[in-house]
Amino acid sequence: MKKLDIYISKNFIKSFLLSLIAFINIFILSQLFKIIRYITAGRMSVSESATYILYLLPKIFIEVTPLAILLGSLMCINRMASNLEIISLKTSGISFRRIVRYPIIISFLISLIVFQVMNRIHPTALAKSRALRAGRKISERVLPTTKNNAFLRTEDNLVYYIKQVDRIGNTGNLLEIIKLNKEFDKIDEIITAKTGEFDLNKNQWVLKDAVINNFVNKTQKSYKVYSNEALNKGPSDFITIQGDPDELTNAEITKSIRDIRITGGDIKEPLSILGKRYSFPFASFIVSFLGLALGSRYVRGASAISIALSVGLGYSYYIVQASFEALSVNGLLNPFISGWIPNVIFLCLGIYFMKEAEY
């Protein structure tokens, strides 16, 4: 079986790479007219256009890999079926699931590669391609040192407002901290201070010239120096990386979502992108079941039909995925659920066809 697994794996990888190169070339050709227009308009030089294409490759790789897996798996198994190798192996008592074990494992490994490219390489390449297309300098995202009019809401129903916060010096000017009741509809206390310094050792603010107005007891107290362990949100919590979620890594999107949530912003778009980041890469693994099963039986003259059917199923996945993504962006469905619904649907189809291929 070891030699057989190596033989099948080599054929599968070869078919996948041929399909991948073909789809990448098609996508690059579709971009050529746009690039030529940029060159003739003086927006790009010839060397810049070549660099622009390189920056597009991660995105193209991510988008076409499921189709390449689907077509490559079909071509690999269909070739074996046409040579009567599949029927011979079945006759010798080897199940179809055992025959396609290694192509499925390889597809899963390719999905992990797509996941890493989508998380680490694609965001940077996308930012650089957009900067090159817009004719501006490519700059790295750097956390600003200070921020004016910083606003933050905590889980303890505290609302911070700082006129100016300094991340490096861990200081703030003109602070106002509002404490609301559990229902978040009534103010219990307001703390104001001229300046404040965040104590990293104690993880709390040390306020100077502070005034506390308690609306429950209707009292007012003044302090030269005031600190409270509940005031534990430091300057770094107020200053975050801003940018397009598509240009952020998964960790950066997660942090951005947390920051947007506590400031009361709209998190539907970054959540949708993050959900897609954790679901779409595994489409390559899931569609491999379809391609392998569709190519399992050899019927003279039916190869073209199988290829057309596999490509049609591949594009159907994109349509279903885009439809559920739209639902998540509009807030009608949880982004992680909407991202995995197409995977579950096509996995069920793949398992069904795989069972049919056993006979």
Side-chain angles (χ1 to χ4, degrees):
M1 288 301 294
K2 186 175 181 181
K3 289 185 178 180
L4 177 62
D5 291 333
I6 293 173
Y7 169 73
I8 296 172
S9 298
K10 283 183 177 179
N11 284 336
F12 174 74
I13 293 172
K14 181 180 178 181
S15 299
F16 163 68
L17 291 177
L18 288 173
S19 301
L20 182 65
I21 292 169
F23 282 119
I24 287 176
N25 286 333
I26 292 171
F27 272 73
I28 290 175
L29 286 172
S30 68
Q31 293 290 323
L32 279 182
F33 295 103
K34 186 187 295 184
I35 294 170
I36 291 171
R37 190 167 66 248
Y38 291 154
I39 295 173
T40 55
R43 294 173 57 182
M44 281 186 191
S45 65
V46 176
S47 60
E48 287 175 337
S49 64
T51 305
Y52 178 71
I53 291 174
L54 288 176
Y55 289 149
L56 289 179
L57 287 179
K59 179 182 179 181
I60 295 173
F61 171 77
I62 292 167
E63 292 181 350
V64 305
T65 297
L67 282 176
I69 287 284
L70 182 61
L71 186 58
S73 57
L74 184 141
M75 290 170 57
C76 171
I77 297 300
N78 188 257
R79 190 183 299 114
M80 292 182 65
S82 63
N83 294 330
L84 303 180
E85 293 173 329
I86 297 295
I87 191 66
S88 299
L89 290 170
K90 286 183 177 181
T91 304
S92 64
I94 301 173
S95 68
F96 184 70
R97 281 174 291 185
R98 179 62 185 84
I99 295 170
V100 299
R101 177 185 295 177
Y102 275 83
I104 290 174
I105 293 173
I106 293 169
S107 298
F108 181 74
L109 295 176
I110 292 172
S111 293
L112 295 179
I113 293 172
V114 174
F115 178 82
Q116 292 300 325
V117 171
M118 204 169 185
N119 176 33
R120 299 177 182 274
I121 301 174
H122 172 251
T124 303
L126 180 64
K128 290 181 177 180
S129 67
R130 287 176 175 177
L132 193 60
R133 186 176 59 192
R136 53 184 170 84
K137 290 184 178 180
I138 300 169
S139 58
E140 295 183 357
R141 295 184 298 272
V142 180
L143 276 174
T145 302
T146 62
K147 183 178 181 180
N148 295 326
N149 299 316
F151 172 84
L152 183 68
R153 175 185 170 181
T154 72
E155 296 176 353
D156 300 326
N157 285 356
L158 291 177
V159 178
Y160 289 77
Y161 170 77
I162 304 177
K163 182 68 175 178
Q164 186 181 63
V165 62
D166 187 328
R167 179 176 60 87
I168 303 299
N170 287 311
T171 58
N173 296 321
L174 298 178
L175 298 89
E176 183 173 322
I177 303 166
I178 303 173
K179 183 179 181 181
L180 291 99
N181 61 0
K182 292 181 179 180
E183 290 74 25
F184 207 75
D185 59 1
K186 190 176 180 181
I187 296 174
D188 287 346
E189 190 175 77
I190 296 179
I191 303 171
T192 59
K194 289 184 179 180
T195 59
E197 184 176 351
F198 191 76
D199 190 329
L200 294 175
N201 295 323
K202 295 182 179 180
N203 195 41
Q204 64 186 36
W205 280 97
V206 178
L207 306 178
K208 296 181 180 179
D209 298 321
V211 177
I212 302 177
N213 291 283
N214 191 304
F215 292 91
V216 177
N217 301 326
K218 297 182 180 180
T219 60
Q220 184 183 80
K221 294 182 180 181
S222 299
Y223 299 86
K224 283 292 183 182
V225 178
Y226 176 79
S227 62
N228 190 317
E229 62 181 11
L231 308 181
N232 56 10
K233 294 297 180 181
S236 59
D237 294 311
F238 292 84
I239 301 175
T240 58
I241 294 175
Q242 300 295 326
D244 190 328
D246 280 321
E247 299 176 7
L248 303 177
T249 64
N250 292 353
E252 290 171 342
I253 294 176
T254 303
K255 187 177 186 303
S256 177
I257 290 171
R258 185 176 66 249
D259 296 336
I260 294 171
R261 181 182 280 117
I262 62 178
T263 57
D266 187 359
I267 60 172
K268 289 195 292 291
E269 183 183 359
L271 265 178
S272 176
I273 291 171
L274 188 62
K276 184 178 179 180
R277 293 271 185 94
Y278 282 99
S279 60
F280 184 77
F282 297 98
S284 302
F285 166 67
I286 288 165
V287 299
S288 66
F289 288 86
L290 289 170
L292 294 168
L294 288 172
S296 62
R297 291 183 179 180
Y298 175 67
V299 179
R300 189 177 298 275
S303 296
I305 297 174
S306 297
I307 292 174
L309 180 59
S310 67
V311 174
L313 286 170
Y315 279 106
S316 297
Y317 175 86
Y318 289 97
I319 293 171
V320 174
Q321 186 268 332
S323 301
F324 281 99
E325 183 181 353
L327 292 175
S328 68
V329 171
N330 291 325
L332 300 176
L333 197 61
N334 181 283
F336 290 90
I337 294 176
S338 66
W340 276 97
I341 286 177
N343 288 355
V344 172
I345 292 173
F346 280 82
L347 179 61
C348 292
L349 282 174
I351 292 173
Y352 168 77
F353 283 118
M354 192 68 71
K355 287 183 177 180
E356 291 293 312
E358 290 288 357
Y359 305 100

